[in-house]
Amino acid sequence: MAKYNITEKKEKKANYRSLVSPSLMDEMKEKILDIIVMQKKYKDKDYSAKQLAEDLGTNTRYISAVVNVRFHMNYTSFVNKFRIEEAMTILVDRRYQKLRMEEVSDMVGFSNRQSFYASFYKIMNMTPREYRLQHLNNHPSEKVKPAKKRKTKSKSKE
């Protein structure tokens, strides 16, 4: 069984994809990017395809068709891609080195740590922790300095 239960994607033929004209798809693509990326709605755990459709005055089938055709993925994968990109930035930022993975996960919009790890692994083929450690090992100037060891007085016999 694959790590994090990631299964191979099966190509499906959806008839509704051809119902949206290419010009309307291009227009909706820009609007979707504006809302999800520019307005950073990907950080909102509760922002669904249904809410996006309402904001755009359309239905979820059209949203799904546009995301599938223009971005070659489903809505959840599309949103998670931006979450993971932001998480990658946070994980290597010295200001956030003390954050736990749950806190990073929450900051970028995942509702739980498990979905964060699964999505991160699916995109990066490594865990968020491995990514952070790899980055720190590749950039010694940004290494977190280990805590100083306490000196203990030892009595030695002469």
Side-chain angles (χ1 to χ4, degrees):
M1 187 160 77
K3 195 169 186 178
Y4 296 111
N5 287 334
I6 297 171
T7 56
E8 287 297 314
K9 186 178 171 183
K10 295 176 185 167
E11 265 315 301
K12 296 179 199 168
K13 188 75 176 161
N15 293 330
Y16 64 87
R17 291 180 189 170
S18 60
L19 297 176
V20 185
S21 72
S23 61
L24 181 59
M25 274 203 186
D26 290 338
E27 185 182 322
M28 285 181 67
K29 174 187 172 184
E30 294 307 315
K31 289 178 180 179
I32 290 169
L33 284 170
D34 177 59
I35 291 172
I36 300 296
V37 182
M38 302 308 286
Q39 295 178 31
K40 297 192 179 213
K41 289 290 187 179
Y42 63 87
K43 287 182 163 189
D44 183 349
K45 295 175 183 52
D46 302 317
Y47 195 76
S48 64
K50 185 177 180 181
Q51 288 170 304
L52 177 60
E54 287 173 11
D55 289 348
L56 293 176
T58 188
N59 63 48
T60 55
R61 283 201 167 233
Y62 281 169
I63 297 295
S64 179
V66 173
V67 171
N68 274 276
V69 173
R70 293 296 189 241
F71 300 106
H72 309 289
M73 60 185 83
N74 64 30
Y75 176 80
T76 303
S77 297
F78 175 71
V79 171
N80 286 347
K81 179 179 147 243
F82 296 107
R83 290 173 175 167
I84 297 304
E85 286 172 4
E86 177 133 354
M88 288 166 56
T89 304
I90 292 169
L91 288 168
V92 299
D93 191 321
R94 285 181 286 141
R95 296 173 294 179
Y96 301 113
Q97 287 303 307
K98 301 227 187 274
L99 288 181
R100 295 177 298 124
M101 289 303 158
E102 290 83 0
E103 294 167 314
V104 174
S105 168
D106 190 57
M107 282 174 73
V108 299
F110 283 97
S111 54
N112 61 60
R113 197 186 122 198
Q114 289 78 12
S115 59
F116 172 55
Y117 264 71
S119 295
F120 198 99
Y121 193 86
K122 183 178 178 183
I123 292 171
M124 298 303 298
N125 206 27
M126 67 176 71
T127 66
R129 184 178 185 282
E130 289 169 339
Y131 179 82
R132 178 184 266 172
L133 292 173
Q134 183 183 62
H135 179 81
L136 294 176
N137 290 336
N138 290 337
H139 302 298
S141 64
E142 292 188 15
K143 271 191 181 177
V144 177
K145 292 179 180 151
K148 290 182 180 178
K149 292 181 182 177
R150 290 185 185 177
K151 291 184 180 179
T152 57
K153 293 181 181 178
S154 61
K155 296 178 183 178
S156 59
K157 295 180 181 178
E158 291 182 27

